[in-house]
Amino acid sequence: MSMQIAKLIPLVVGVALLAFTVLVRINLVDPQADARQKQIVDTNVLTSPGPDVMKIAAVEHRHLWADLFWLEIVQQLGTREKMMDDIWPKVYQWAHIATDLDGLYETIYRAVSVHLTVFAKRVRESDDIAEKGWKKIPNAWQLPLMIGYNAYF
């Protein structure tokens, strides 16, 4: 029995030491950590520097990064708060970043354009995304249709 307790002592000491270091970090080293986590990030940081820079920054994995941005867009579009105005600038900017990484990602052009028109009532941004896609994918008939829909309604 004492042999088992002796084996547990380093584990208990290690957990206690870890807990102590976390408390020291939170209270002494970084007392403003909570305030920084609650801080609202300026959306201008999310602007795309352009396709050339994004392709270099993606380090030969631009399709993977475009997919990750697409997944984040889908998460934002699927939230209950999608009627709120807070998500639309992020969705618009992430769509630009994702399509800068993969210019032939037709799903992003179509989905974001439709959502910006129907739910956000942001026709200018919708047209911007659809026109960008139409330039890259001229055979995608849905994109000029969306531009026409926006112009008609």
Side-chain angles (χ1 to χ4, degrees):
M1 185 73 167
S2 65
M3 203 61 162
Q4 291 174 347
I5 293 174
K7 289 182 180 179
L8 288 177
I9 289 176
L11 178 65
V12 171
V13 170
V15 170
L17 187 61
L18 179 65
F20 176 73
T21 56
V22 168
L23 286 173
V24 167
R25 182 201 172 275
I26 290 173
N27 293 325
L28 298 177
V29 177
D30 195 7
Q32 296 152 346
D34 289 336
R36 195 173 48 255
Q37 288 176 353
K38 293 176 185 173
Q39 184 179 18
I40 297 173
V41 178
D42 184 20
T43 57
N44 290 332
V45 213
L46 299 174
T47 57
S48 176
D52 296 332
V53 174
M54 292 302 296
K55 288 175 185 173
I56 292 170
V59 193
E60 298 298 322
H61 298 289
R62 60 192 175 119
H63 298 292
L64 169 78
W65 286 105
D67 284 340
L68 290 174
F69 277 104
W70 168 238
L71 289 174
E72 186 58 38
I73 291 168
V74 169
Q75 291 295 318
Q76 292 296 320
L77 296 178
T79 60
R80 295 181 112 183
E81 295 86 27
K82 77 175 171 184
M83 297 308 237
M84 296 175 65
D85 287 334
D86 297 343
I87 69 165
W88 300 116
K90 288 189 273 187
V91 167
Y92 175 70
Q93 291 167 341
W94 287 337
H96 273 294
I97 292 171
T99 56
D100 283 347
L101 288 165
D102 184 2
L104 302 177
Y105 211 150
E106 184 182 350
T107 305
I108 295 176
Y109 295 121
R110 279 189 288 118
V112 171
S113 182
V114 167
H115 278 82
L116 285 172
T117 295
V118 175
F119 293 112
K121 308 293 187 231
R122 294 178 182 238
V123 176
R124 184 187 58 77
E125 287 96 340
S126 173
D127 283 347
D128 188 33
I129 292 288
E131 287 172 4
K132 181 179 179 181
W134 193 14
K135 289 176 187 171
K136 301 266 182 156
I137 313 168
N139 294 334
W141 61 269
Q142 298 95 338
L143 300 173
L145 177 72
M146 192 68 219
I147 295 168
Y149 176 87
N150 288 343
Y152 187 75
F153 295 104

